[in-house]
Amino acid sequence: MSTAKRDFLSSIEKKYQKLWESEKIFEASVNESQPKYFINVPYPYMNGRLHLGHCFTYSKGEFVAGYQRLKGKNVLFPFAFHCTGMPIKACADKLKYEMETFGCPPKFPTAVQQEEEVETANFEKDPAAFEKKKTKLEAKTGGEKYQWNLMKGMGIPESEIPSFSNPDKWLYYFPPHCQNDLKAMGLSADWRRGFITTDVNPYYDSFVRWHFTTLKARNKIKFGKRYCIFSPKDGQPCMDHDRQKGEGVGPQEYTGIKMRLLSPFPVTLKHLEGKDVFLVAATLRPETMYGQTNCFVKDDIKYVAFEACNNEVFITTRRAAQNMAYQDLTPEFGKVNVLAELTGLELMGSAIRPPQTSFDKVYVLPMMGVKDNKGTGIVTSVPSDAPDDYATLMDLKNKQALREKYGITDDMVAFDPVPIITVPGFGDLCAVTVCKDLKVNSQNDKDKLLLAKEKCYMKGFNEGVMLIGPYKGRNVKEVKPIIKEEMIAARTALRYQEPEKLVMSRSGQECVVALCDQWFLEYGEPAWRQTTGKCLQNLETYYEDTRQHFERTLDWLHEHACSRSYGLGTRLPWDEQWLVESLSDSTIYMAYYTVAHLLQGDVAGGKPGLLGITPEQMTHEVWDFIFMKEAPPPPSCSIPVEHLKQLRQEFRYWYPIDMRSSGKDLVPNHLTYWLYNHTAIWNDEPDRWPRSVRANGHLLLDNEKMSKSLGNIISLAQGVEMFSADGMRLALADAGDVLEDANFNTAQANAGILRLHTLVEWITETVEGLEELRDRNYGGTFYDKVFLNDINRALAETDRNYGNTMFREGLKSGFFEFLSARDRYRELAAAGEGMHRDIILKYIRAQVIILAPICPHMCDYLWREVLKEEGSVLRASWPAYDTPDVALLKAADHLMEMTHDFRIKLKTYLTPPKKKGGKVIVPHEHPNHMTIFVAKDYPAWQEKTLDVLKANYTPDNGASEPFPSNPELLKQLKEIPEVKAMMKKVMPFVSFVKGQVREKGASALDSHLPFSEFDVFTENQEYILRSLDLDSLTVCEKNECPEEKLVVDVCPGKPLCKFEKRELDPVDKTSVLVTLTNIQPCTPFFQRSIRIYDTDTVEDVVRRLKRSDRRLKTRDVALYRYVEPVKGPRQLLAFDQPMLWNKRKLELRDKIEYLSEDEGLKTGIYRLGENLCYLVL
């Protein structure tokens, strides 16, 4: 497949990227006389190259930057590189391990032997060791899970890979590559302000230390034990950015119910007789424990009995035991001393004594729905209020075979549900009532049970009242936490937490919940929460869903661990054994952008910047002076005062952030932390708080999730190579706007290359041929007015769409629909006087400017090299526009819609049914005339019907249909006298209007059109005639039709067309068939036979010729007569103009007359004969 068009675009891109760099076009400096606009996108993590998913988020900020420059803003769009955290260190350590284990270069096991290794603790064998969970994934992917192979996959030479075992190598290798990839994309970043994070960069390290010292001084950072997601292998909390899987997942708290195991113990546990052994069930409903009748296990789940605190023994799954070991529930933190292993089958039939139940003992019974990856694998049973428990208990009661299968005797299931809570509508046995209502027959009725649980749990919690215990008569919602805390205090229950879902750390291990000593940010503290809520109130989120996501996060978010002991980053200033974790050192780094270029001379901060300031000079007092409004100049500071003031001016000019583009998945963590930290640092300066955030969904590739296992990840460098930079940017803009996942369509990306190349060709050819276009009567024709209005509409709608960061919609209004408007102008103008030079030039300038934010390289090329404009289009101004004339827009749309409708009706007219009554129908002869009947007003009954529909139109009612039902409408219409007489026609008319409303909106309910339908058709007769290949057209008012029944359904916007083969009037019925010959060599135009009528003008003949050959639509045609009409076609040689020898041009205004049958036609005093010739100009 030829890549010439893509290569052409790529050559332009490389040229203009060099030009922009030399012109320093994206370097932003303080200009107090110009309004600023500060854009921020998340800095990428430097453990690999960038891919299209990164670019999708960056493209939103990039498009906003381009748009705001066109709106006259001084735009700052900086970019940096994030290196803080675990991933780089983990990858470097993994690579080091592989080289030590398999050699350098390593010789890995063969692909058949390779299996994905996910490490999980094997506490029984060795608390410090980890066993492998094995899958076939790596065998299928050829061993790419090895870090060495991943590095090779990034294109890194094998000779260079060993150096990546040093984490610092990553910090110096990937940022330059990512920067070059982004430059190839055309990212309009101010690269002077770029930096890397961690203490490798002493300037940024100093900034983070100031940030955290300030937070601690303001009492936002605390120390203590807190539950957190924890990686046992890494020995530290596992924050979102440290996870392979489970980003956004937090701890889920349960109440662990201690159910004492009674003698006799199962055989496997005989050696534990005499000890306090408890089956521990995890529940979310501790208030229901008064109603326990048994507990459930699953026969094939493996359980462990392990040593707990206070000389007790707990029985749970191994997974739950691992979590408990990190929650101070075992004698030694992080270690599980397994005393026995057994299956659920071995536990069945054992007697237990749960707390708070009225029974001395109950029994362990089987349940099929128990899971080993949720809770403890032990389920306490309360059949009065839990539908699953009731259904399972009834299965065991009613099915003797099921009891015998598991060795369950009748007395073990001789317990009935105990009334403990009364629920309005469901009585004292909520689960029993709901299960009977839903006809739940067994524990296998999963869908019904799911519905039953929703009914019971929600209503029981919100409206339930206790029937038993010391809190009898009180609401469940009120006493639930009290009962829970009392049970924990009495040591009949315990507090137990585990991850809500599976979390895998980047080091490849399943995480647990641990109770750790740690430094944490006190997010959720009431006063801080309230201030951050005020920040959110004034924050533009562009989508209401984004705002609601923030609000939900503020409601549940609380303490966040901000320190770790492993990885890269900045040391906590007051406790340097800890590192600041990666979600905490990246919340106000945008402020650092404002001064970065003045402080550091390279991306790593290895040398001083423009002001010659060293890292040691950046004291806490200096940072205060830069960022804090009331801070005085630091005493005894070695930095010159003018430099300090310059740093302060940079910050105060650029801050706050005007727009941040980020992924929606960061709302529950990073973006909310971003708001919290801004309100903490600038608590007394709300005008420094962020102004807007634009969240987007993930990017799919051809409707599939991008993943290494599918092999469908396209890197940024590959995307530019495959589609060109502008082609890729066009596809990114077209991928999607809203919060739902967007789709990068590779077929559309390739089509975009063709569109852009075609546009370049057309603009180039048109500009070169501007002199050939009409230069008279500017805006004097209908199609001129329509196109000028289309230009206004494109500019207005695209301005609004870009301003709302709706770039897919902006591409639609400013490119796709704009091209269609241009094509419509060409089509309409070809039937008239042709396109106007200045109007086309106005369109081209507008098109180039409004497409520039998305396709800057191509647009700058067209601006400078084709249009010969001064400077760069990226620094141009958004074109001024008038408010679009809605009536004119509708008139043009109506003309195109009706012309299309007329063509369909003509086709139907010429295509009769195959047979009618057994007879073959003779097709109609092609008509030469059409009459269009139009109406200014609706009949009275239709007016009244429209009034009723208007009164009942509710577009915002949330329903799919904005009107009441037809029977309800009919009831209202029957009450109207004018309508009552036309009842047979009313509902078809109602259906028609509803359809129009769905297509066109509320304007379809108007009783009058905002334009003259008669004038629109009359002014565009030639276009309609050419479209339908007719000779004549008449536009009439409905009341001029002699056949009343024919036009009974004609109403505003719904004209009627009538075709006929019309005999000409006596005055002009005579005609001659004349042969028109194109005598130009090497052209695709040949002979045409055209009938010329008496009273035709030469212009009429030329129009008729153009209608006969659509290739002539947009061309100028000149008609010539032969000097000797009989001998004319003979060709005589001539030296000056051989093609026009013996020929004379006919002027367009010349009138043609019919002489007689023998003499034929003449124009003026010249006879024409039966042959003419024409030239295509």
Side-chain angles (χ1 to χ4, degrees):
M1 185 176 69
S2 173
T3 61
K5 293 179 173 63
R6 181 203 65 190
D7 295 344
F8 170 74
L9 294 176
S10 295
S11 66
I12 289 174
E13 291 159 3
K14 291 173 184 175
K15 174 182 177 180
Y16 274 83
Q17 286 162 12
K18 290 179 181 177
L19 182 61
W20 295 338
E21 191 163 356
S22 67
E23 293 178 345
K24 300 181 178 181
I25 200 166
F26 303 129
E27 292 185 6
S29 300
V30 171
N31 182 353
E32 298 289 356
S33 64
Q34 185 180 12
K36 64 87 182 180
Y37 200 89
F38 184 5
I39 298 167
N40 173 243
V41 296
Y43 46 18
Y45 199 79
M46 288 294 97
N47 61 341
R49 301 285 284 270
L50 303 179
H51 56 71
L52 284 185
H54 295 101
C55 298
F56 181 59
T57 296
Y58 301 156
S59 70
K60 304 303 181 185
E62 166 70 3
F63 299 154
V64 169
Y67 166 69
Q68 291 294 343
R69 288 189 186 98
L70 295 175
K71 297 296 287 184
K73 302 289 180 60
N74 186 14
V75 173
L76 174 60
F77 184 21
F79 204 94
F81 308 97
H82 199 198
C83 307
T84 305
M86 270 184 53
I88 289 175
K89 174 70 170 156
C91 290
D93 288 351
K94 188 176 180 184
L95 184 64
K96 183 178 180 181
Y97 167 80
E98 290 172 4
M99 291 189 294
E100 291 173 350
T101 305
F102 302 109
C104 183
K107 294 181 180 179
F108 297 118
T110 62
V112 175
Q113 296 172 330
Q114 288 177 21
E115 293 173 321
E116 182 186 11
E117 299 177 350
V118 179
E119 296 177 328
T120 56
N122 186 337
F123 295 97
E124 181 185 6
K125 297 174 184 175
D126 181 358
F130 294 84
E131 65 180 1
K132 313 292 185 183
K133 283 185 181 177
K134 298 183 178 181
T135 72
K136 297 180 181 178
L137 174 61
E138 195 157 306
K140 293 178 180 178
T141 56
E144 286 191 358
K145 289 294 178 180
Y146 288 116
Q147 189 63 43
W148 183 281
N149 290 338
L150 291 172
M151 306 302 284
K152 282 175 62 178
M154 295 179 197
I156 299 172
E158 282 204 341
S159 60
E160 196 173 352
I161 292 177
S163 62
F164 284 86
S165 61
N166 179 355
D168 287 352
K169 171 70 175 180
W170 299 64
L171 277 59
Y172 292 96
Y173 180 85
F174 284 110
H177 281 84
C178 292
Q179 181 172 325
N180 290 335
D181 291 347
L182 289 164
K183 284 183 176 180
M185 172 192 173
L187 194 79
S188 59
D190 183 350
W191 292 109
R192 300 173 303 159
R193 300 171 188 263
F195 58 86
I196 62 172
T197 65
T198 77
D199 53 5
V200 168
N201 182 347
Y203 293 95
Y204 188 75
D205 184 63
S206 174
F207 169 75
V208 174
R209 285 172 168 267
W210 167 81
H211 173 200
F212 269 72
T213 301
T214 303
L215 287 174
K216 190 168 187 296
R218 295 182 179 179
N219 207 29
K220 304 300 182 185
I221 298 179
K222 302 289 179 65
F223 186 80
K225 285 187 176 292
R226 291 294 183 275
Y227 289 99
C228 63
I229 305 295
F230 187 88
S231 169
K233 181 177 181 181
D234 301 320
Q236 64 178 10
C238 186
M239 300 298 109
D240 276 357
H241 283 192
D242 302 328
R243 301 175 188 177
Q244 267 184 25
K245 184 176 182 180
E247 190 168 341
V249 174
Q252 169 68 61
E253 181 172 333
Y254 293 92
T255 303
I257 305 301
K258 296 167 64 176
M259 298 178 288
R260 182 181 293 276
L261 184 65
L262 304 178
S263 289
F265 284 11
V267 174
T268 315
L269 302 177
K270 282 294 184 183
H271 64 290
L272 298 177
E273 290 262 18
K275 289 183 175 291
D276 293 329
V277 179
F278 298 92
L279 279 72
V280 181
T283 182
L284 296 172
R285 305 191 67 196
E287 76 283 3
T288 65
M289 294 303 99
Y290 298 105
Q292 295 176 89
T293 60
N294 59 279
C295 86
F296 291 120
V297 296
K298 194 167 186 288
D299 58 343
D300 57 355
I301 288 180
K302 294 179 179 179
Y303 297 88
V304 293
F306 62 95
E307 185 180 0
C309 294
N310 303 313
N311 293 318
E312 295 177 341
V313 176
F314 290 169
I315 298 175
T316 67
T317 59
R318 184 179 293 275
R319 174 183 167 278
Q322 292 170 14
N323 276 274
M324 290 182 181
Y326 286 91
Q327 296 172 32
D328 291 346
L329 296 175
T330 58
E332 189 173 352
F333 183 82
K335 293 186 178 181
V336 177
N337 182 18
V338 176
L339 305 175
E341 287 186 281
L342 69 167
T343 64
L345 185 62
E346 295 174 80
L347 283 169
M348 290 179 189
S350 298
I352 57 172
R353 182 179 298 130
Q356 294 191 323
T357 183
S358 58
F359 303 109
D360 290 333
K361 63 179 178 179
V362 296
Y363 296 92
V364 181
L365 304 178
M367 183 188 221
M368 299 303 102
V370 178
K371 298 177 181 179
D372 63 353
N373 62 352
K374 196 76 172 174
T376 62
I378 310 287
V379 177
T380 183
S381 173
V382 184
S384 59
D385 288 79
D388 281 313
D389 299 351
Y390 174 72
T392 304
L393 182 60
M394 294 311 294
D395 273 355
L396 291 166
K397 280 176 172 285
N398 298 330
K399 298 174 183 178
Q400 183 178 347
L402 182 62
R403 296 198 300 275
E404 291 175 350
K405 177 181 178 180
Y406 295 110
I408 304 301
T409 59
D410 292 352
D411 63 305
M412 295 179 184
V413 296
F415 299 89
D416 294 322
V418 178
I420 56 171
I421 297 172
T422 182
V423 181
F426 296 151
D428 297 348
L429 297 171
C430 180
V432 178
T433 301
V434 173
C435 284
K436 288 180 179 178
D437 290 345
L438 295 176
K439 295 181 171 55
V440 174
N441 295 317
S442 80
Q443 60 184 303
N444 296 318
D445 289 343
K446 294 181 180 179
D447 291 339
K448 291 181 180 179
L449 283 170
L450 184 61
L451 179 59
K453 282 190 284 188
E454 290 177 0
K455 288 175 173 285
C456 288
Y457 292 174
M458 185 63 70
K459 199 171 179 68
F461 176 73
N462 288 314
E463 302 179 36
V465 176
M466 299 298 297
L467 293 173
I468 195 171
Y471 301 105
K472 179 179 179 181
R474 294 178 65 177
N475 292 329
V476 168
K477 184 187 294 189
E478 178 188 350
V479 302
K480 177 177 180 174
I482 300 173
I483 294 173
K484 171 184 173 180
E485 294 304 323
E486 286 183 350
M487 291 180 70
I488 293 173
R491 293 178 52 193
T492 58
L494 53 90
R495 205 179 310 278
Y496 167 68
Q497 299 201 17
E498 65 181 29
E500 295 169 310
K501 298 177 183 177
L502 176 66
V503 177
M504 300 295 296
S505 72
R506 291 188 183 274
S507 55
Q509 186 193 25
E510 183 175 346
C511 292
V512 298
V513 169
L515 188 58
C516 299
D517 279 328
Q518 57 189 292
W519 292 100
F520 59 90
L521 284 154
E522 201 175 15
Y523 297 141
E525 185 273 322
W528 197 7
R529 160 69 176 84
Q530 184 179 11
T531 306
T532 306
K534 290 179 181 177
C535 176
L536 179 59
Q537 287 176 6
N538 297 317
L539 186 74
E540 171 60 67
T541 60
Y542 300 101
Y543 303 107
E544 186 58 29
D545 286 350
T546 303
R547 179 173 302 281
Q548 292 174 2
H549 202 174
F550 270 112
E551 289 171 348
R552 289 194 298 270
T553 302
L554 288 177
D555 286 341
W556 63 257
L557 182 64
H558 50 86
E559 299 102 337
H560 171 74
C562 61
S563 60
R564 63 154 54 84
S565 58
Y566 175 83
L568 306 178
T570 293
R571 296 283 170 184
L572 276 178
W574 61 89
D575 192 352
E576 297 208 354
Q577 65 175 314
W578 298 98
L579 291 160
V580 178
E581 63 91 25
S582 59
L583 280 176
S584 299
D585 82 335
S586 55
T587 54
I588 64 164
Y589 69 91
M590 310 86 193
Y592 184 74
Y593 276 133
T594 64
V595 296
H597 64 304
L598 300 176
L599 294 178
Q600 53 186 78
D602 58 29
V603 73
K607 59 182 180 179
L610 295 174
L611 299 184
I613 298 172
T614 65
E616 294 74 22
Q617 291 176 292
M618 296 304 297
T619 63
H620 187 90
E621 292 75 20
V622 170
W623 289 115
D624 274 349
F625 180 75
I626 296 170
F627 296 130
M628 299 290 103
K629 179 175 64 174
E630 303 298 335
S636 63
C637 176
S638 58
I639 302 173
V641 174
E642 60 271 19
H643 290 174
L644 289 172
K645 289 182 177 179
Q646 186 177 352
L647 291 167
R648 185 184 182 107
Q649 182 191 26
E650 285 275 349
F651 170 72
R652 301 200 73 79
Y653 175 76
W654 290 115
Y655 230 65
I657 300 161
D658 293 284
M659 197 279 282
R660 177 169 172 79
S661 173
S662 191
K664 67 178 181 182
D665 54 309
L666 296 182
V667 172
N669 43 65
H670 188 253
L671 289 174
T672 304
Y673 304 162
W674 171 60
L675 298 183
Y676 263 113
N677 278 265
H678 274 81
T679 60
I681 298 297
W682 292 282
N683 59 325
D684 59 347
E685 283 193 88
D687 55 349
R688 303 295 166 201
W689 296 351
R691 290 178 176 169
S692 78
V693 62
R694 205 270 189 210
N696 57 259
H698 299 292
L699 185 70
L700 306 178
L701 182 64
D702 292 330
N703 284 313
E704 285 191 334
K705 183 179 179 181
M706 287 191 285
S707 69
K708 291 177 183 176
S709 61
L710 292 175
N712 67 343
I713 291 180
I714 297 179
S715 71
L716 171 52
Q718 290 170 329
V720 171
E721 182 181 357
M722 292 166 66
F723 308 112
S724 77
D726 282 347
M728 183 187 75
R729 291 166 66 114
L730 188 75
L732 287 169
D734 198 33
D737 283 327
V738 294
L739 285 176
E740 283 73 26
D741 289 349
N743 180 46
F744 186 97
N745 188 306
T746 53
Q748 288 297 326
N750 283 314
I753 296 171
L754 299 180
R755 284 193 179 96
L756 295 178
H757 190 271
T758 301
L759 181 63
V760 170
E761 284 187 324
W762 182 85
I763 290 177
T764 303
E765 292 172 4
T766 302
V767 171
E768 288 173 353
L770 279 175
E771 293 302 318
E772 299 175 13
L773 299 181
R774 169 170 60 98
D775 62 354
R776 64 187 184 280
N777 194 24
Y778 178 90
T781 66
F782 174 80
Y783 41 87
D784 280 354
K785 294 173 184 174
V786 167
F787 192 43
L788 287 169
N789 200 47
D790 282 333
I791 294 173
N792 285 328
R793 174 172 63 171
L795 289 168
E797 290 185 0
T798 309
D799 195 7
R800 181 175 63 253
N801 288 329
Y802 282 0
N804 291 328
T805 72
M806 300 288 284
F807 295 103
R808 185 178 193 175
E809 290 300 309
L811 200 60
K812 178 182 175 185
S813 62
F815 185 52
F816 299 125
E817 290 180 352
F818 209 8
L819 287 176
S820 297
R822 179 206 65 182
D823 293 341
R824 178 169 70 183
Y825 180 55
R826 295 167 68 189
E827 188 176 351
L828 290 171
E833 299 178 15
M835 299 187 295
H836 196 284
R837 181 188 308 166
D838 293 336
I839 295 176
I840 280 296
L841 202 54
K842 181 174 184 175
Y843 157 73
I844 291 173
R845 286 196 178 100
Q847 178 67 93
V848 170
I849 290 174
I850 65 178
L851 191 57
I854 294 173
C855 302
H857 309 86
M858 180 199 75
C859 292
D860 213 12
Y861 163 79
L862 290 170
W863 187 257
R864 299 193 201 214
E865 300 189 36
V866 178
L867 292 173
K868 308 298 182 184
E869 298 283 355
E870 290 293 325
S872 171
V873 71
L874 307 184
R875 294 293 186 185
S877 295
W878 192 268
Y881 56 87
D882 296 324
T883 302
D885 184 339
V886 176
L888 190 54
L889 292 172
K890 290 184 177 180
D893 290 342
H894 186 65
L895 171 63
M896 306 307 289
E897 182 183 337
M898 288 299 101
T899 304
H900 175 71
D901 188 54
F902 296 155
R903 281 197 293 267
I904 293 173
K905 288 178 178 175
L906 177 59
K907 183 178 180 180
T908 304
Y909 176 82
L910 295 172
T911 311
K914 293 179 181 179
K915 286 185 178 181
K916 187 174 183 180
K919 296 180 181 180
V920 177
I921 306 300
V922 179
H924 288 114
E925 187 179 357
H926 197 289
N928 63 357
H929 182 83
M930 178 174 72
T931 303
I932 303 175
F933 296 100
V934 298
K936 291 182 179 177
D937 305 301
Y938 283 98
W941 68 270
Q942 289 181 335
E943 291 258 10
K944 296 294 184 182
T945 302
L946 285 172
D947 290 341
V948 171
L949 289 171
K950 279 183 192 175
N952 287 276
Y953 181 59
T954 52
D956 300 323
N957 63 358
S960 57
E961 176 61 64
F963 295 100
S965 64
N966 283 349
E968 188 174 338
L969 288 171
L970 191 59
K971 183 180 178 181
Q972 296 180 42
L973 291 167
K974 283 181 178 179
E975 302 296 322
I976 303 171
E978 293 91 339
V979 177
K980 195 171 183 180
M982 306 295 292
M983 291 311 297
K984 288 185 178 180
K985 296 184 177 181
V986 168
M987 293 319 293
F989 178 68
V990 168
S991 297
F992 165 74
V993 174
K994 283 183 176 182
Q996 292 294 100
V997 169
R998 281 191 291 271
E999 290 181 23
K1000 302 176 182 179
S1003 63
L1005 296 171
D1006 295 338
S1007 56
H1008 295 85
L1009 295 176
F1011 56 87
S1012 169
E1013 202 172 11
F1014 182 92
D1015 291 346
V1016 169
F1017 291 142
T1018 301
E1019 290 180 41
N1020 293 279
Q1021 283 194 50
E1022 189 57 36
Y1023 169 70
I1024 298 171
L1025 290 174
R1026 288 184 61 178
S1027 297
L1028 279 70
D1029 194 18
L1030 301 173
D1031 292 327
S1032 57
L1033 169 68
T1034 305
V1035 184
C1036 300
E1037 295 288 351
K1038 172 181 177 179
N1039 55 16
E1040 297 176 35
C1041 180
E1043 303 175 65
E1044 188 176 341
K1045 289 184 178 180
L1046 183 67
V1047 294
V1048 69
D1049 291 327
V1050 174
C1051 59
K1054 189 182 178 185
L1056 173 79
C1057 63
K1058 178 184 177 183
F1059 300 105
E1060 55 188 314
K1061 182 72 175 180
R1062 176 178 285 190
E1063 287 296 328
L1064 299 174
D1065 293 334
V1067 177
D1068 59 8
K1069 68 179 180 180
T1070 52
S1071 65
V1072 173
L1073 189 65
V1074 177
T1075 300
L1076 276 65
T1077 305
N1078 180 261
I1079 57 174
Q1080 294 163 282
C1082 304
T1083 67
F1085 306 106
F1086 304 102
Q1087 280 190 348
R1088 290 280 171 179
S1089 294
I1090 301 293
R1091 187 162 292 280
I1092 300 179
Y1093 299 93
D1094 187 21
T1095 72
D1096 269 347
T1097 64
V1098 173
E1099 189 173 25
D1100 292 331
V1101 177
V1102 170
R1103 287 176 183 159
R1104 204 167 292 132
L1105 175 63
K1106 287 186 175 183
R1107 287 202 298 273
S1108 71
D1109 189 341
R1110 289 185 172 272
R1111 293 171 299 177
L1112 295 170
K1113 280 198 312 181
T1114 60
R1115 312 294 288 271
D1116 287 334
V1117 175
L1119 207 60
Y1120 292 80
R1121 67 178 175 83
Y1122 291 98
V1123 174
E1124 297 181 18
V1126 177
K1127 300 178 181 180
R1130 293 181 301 169
Q1131 300 296 308
L1132 298 177
L1133 294 175
F1135 294 103
D1136 52 353
Q1137 287 183 302
M1139 290 180 61
L1140 300 180
W1141 183 261
N1142 194 30
K1143 302 170 184 69
R1144 297 292 182 270
K1145 186 175 180 180
L1146 295 172
E1147 297 302 323
L1148 289 176
R1149 302 298 179 187
D1150 287 353
K1151 190 173 183 180
I1152 300 173
E1153 298 178 24
Y1154 180 73
L1155 298 176
S1156 68
E1157 193 168 332
D1158 294 329
E1159 295 176 298
L1161 301 171
K1162 78 167 186 176
T1163 175
I1165 61 173
Y1166 303 105
R1167 289 180 61 199
L1168 297 182
E1170 296 179 358
N1171 292 278
L1172 298 174
C1173 67
Y1174 68 98
L1175 298 183
V1176 180
L1177 306 178

